[in-house]
Amino acid sequence: MTRAAEALIDLAALAHNLARARQAAPGSRTMAVVKANGYGHGVERVAGALRTADAFAVACLDEALPLREAGFAHPINVLEGFYNTEELVQFGRHHIDATVHQPEQIEMLGRARLDHPLRVWLKIDSGMHRLGVAPETAAECWARLRACRSVGAIGLMTHLANADDRSDPMTEHQLKVFAGAVGRLQGERSIVNSAGILAWPAAVSDWIRPGIMLYGASPFAVTSATDEGLRSVMTLRTRLIAIRDVNSGDSVGYGASWRAARKSRIGVAAIGYGDGYPRHAPSGTPVLVDGKRAVLAGRVSMDMITLDLTAVPNARIGDPVVLWGEGLPVEEIALAAETIPYELFCQITPRVHFRELGS
């Protein structure tokens, strides 16, 4: 029997969400973030649906090269930059842009003899303290890059740590630090991610870098995708493969962690943590069975979940079960499982069948 778990990818929703990002940042160019296999959606299908973006961003060279091999001629910025001189040669050969966040990378560029000068993005650490040169060294680093024959255009970039909290003053502090660091340095600016695009219009500059919003999830803990004008891209679904009745007091699943408070109808759906559904999703996490709400009952197994169908008396074997997506916001599942939509999307495993809608 073919496994029932499948992920439906709405390509039109991707295009809609890109348009929503542009609507929020008119006049800016868009660097669509497609790292981690397009946030688990499949990088080539995502890039195809986002073909009107001005550039793409990925995490590493291994994510950039398949886009070139697939025929995408867009600028591609590698957000972690290059790790050694061997990689640097590949950047030049394939016309791939690099984020520069360490003085050692500038030294490598100074020694390099490349086929083509690189466009680089000098990243300034404005307060996240993950990647980026110290603000007080930004002008010196920029000057060193300008002196490198292997460097073409230089952009200026930072990353916001708490933009998803509209009340947190840290974002305003980071913006001030970045502005002070780059001063009158020449180069296009890029500051905002999805949360910054939607919540901090004053931070919008030459380039925006939408990520999670493209995939139809809100970057904020307190709003849904619909609240932000976004459309769900991935619908993860499967089917019921068994139904049984249990008596009051009967347990269901590993560890007997769920016991029926009354005579109950239990359904079994063909999906589990082996497919990427979160093992730590607790009993009570919602699902849709033939469009009606039911809840998890018992622990998530590798291949199956068990559902309390008592509120869905007409459920039948073969009925569709939606885990998140159309009709069931992924943010709701993430909240129940104490995680974030990013992780849910990225942990879908290869045995889930992907199907494109709107192609």
Side-chain angles (χ1 to χ4, degrees):
M1 181 175 71
T2 301
R3 188 145 182 83
E6 62 177 359
L8 307 181
I9 306 300
D10 187 341
L11 302 181
L14 277 163
H16 167 87
N17 296 337
L18 175 61
R20 174 69 181 96
R22 285 177 159 153
Q23 177 191 47
S28 297
R29 284 192 278 179
T30 304
M31 188 185 300
V33 183
V34 297
K35 62 183 179 177
N37 192 30
Y39 285 46
H41 291 65
V43 66
E44 289 188 27
R45 70 169 59 91
V46 164
L50 301 176
R51 193 176 293 274
T52 61
D54 301 289
F56 295 124
V58 296
C60 59
L61 182 64
D62 283 347
E63 293 182 338
L65 293 179
L67 288 173
R68 282 286 181 260
E69 292 165 2
F72 291 96
H74 299 64
I76 302 173
N77 180 27
V78 174
L79 296 170
E80 293 180 4
F82 47 87
Y83 306 136
N84 52 53
T85 53
E86 289 77 13
E87 277 202 340
L88 183 51
V89 171
Q90 292 280 80
F91 274 72
R93 182 172 299 153
H94 296 282
H95 300 272
I96 294 171
D97 303 346
T99 297
V100 172
H101 52 81
Q102 293 290 318
E104 291 80 4
Q105 291 173 311
I106 302 176
E107 293 172 8
M108 281 188 265
L109 283 164
R111 297 191 300 265
R113 296 295 180 266
L114 303 180
D115 297 336
H116 306 281
L118 294 189
R119 175 173 186 159
V120 301
W121 287 92
L122 177 62
K123 188 167 189 175
I124 289 89
D125 177 11
S126 60
M128 189 166 181
H129 301 320
R130 191 177 61 177
L131 293 180
V133 301
E136 60 271 19
T137 68
E140 175 193 352
C141 291
W142 180 90
R144 291 176 60 193
L145 288 169
R146 279 295 296 266
C148 293
R149 287 182 294 176
S150 56
V151 172
I154 304 171
L156 299 161
M157 173 187 289
T158 195
H159 194 58
L160 301 176
N162 284 13
D164 57 345
D165 184 347
R166 289 176 164 95
S167 65
D168 193 324
M170 183 175 183
T171 296
E172 290 184 353
H173 171 73
Q174 283 192 261
L175 295 177
K176 290 178 182 177
V177 171
F178 181 70
V182 300
R184 297 181 179 178
L185 297 179
Q186 295 179 355
E188 295 178 323
R189 271 68 165 160
S190 179
I191 301 171
V192 292
N193 54 6
S194 293
I197 293 165
L198 296 171
W200 300 90
V204 171
S205 55
D206 301 298
W207 286 83
I208 58 174
R209 305 191 306 274
I212 192 65
M213 69 181 298
L214 296 177
Y215 305 96
S218 171
F220 309 108
V222 295
T223 64
S224 69
T226 302
D227 294 333
E228 302 297 339
L230 304 169
R231 285 171 48 185
S232 176
V233 173
M234 177 191 289
T235 294
L236 181 65
R237 71 180 191 179
T238 185
R239 293 192 176 275
L240 287 177
I241 60 171
I243 297 175
R244 65 182 302 137
D245 294 322
V246 299
N247 294 317
S248 177
D250 284 352
S251 65
V252 173
Y254 286 119
S257 62
W258 185 90
R259 290 186 180 275
R262 61 192 185 288
K263 187 172 182 179
S264 302
R265 198 162 185 246
I266 299 298
V268 180
I271 198 165
Y273 62 79
D275 304 284
Y277 190 78
R279 183 182 181 276
H280 47 286
S283 295
T285 299
V287 301
L288 295 181
V289 177
D290 198 23
K292 303 173 184 65
R293 285 208 168 213
V295 295
L296 293 191
R299 292 181 185 172
V300 174
S301 303
M302 182 182 290
D303 311 304
M304 291 172 279
I305 55 175
T306 44
L307 310 173
D308 184 352
L309 298 178
T310 307
V312 193
N314 295 322
R316 297 290 181 266
I317 292 173
D319 280 351
V321 178
V322 171
L323 291 314
W324 65 69
E326 189 65 33
L328 184 59
V330 67
E331 297 91 349
E332 190 173 345
I333 311 309
L335 182 63
E338 298 185 343
T339 185
I340 54 178
Y342 303 74
E343 183 180 26
L344 295 181
F345 291 152
C346 289
Q347 67 188 9
I348 298 300
T349 69
R351 73 175 183 173
V352 172
H353 302 286
F354 277 73
R355 188 153 62 87
E356 297 175 9
L357 303 177
S359 58

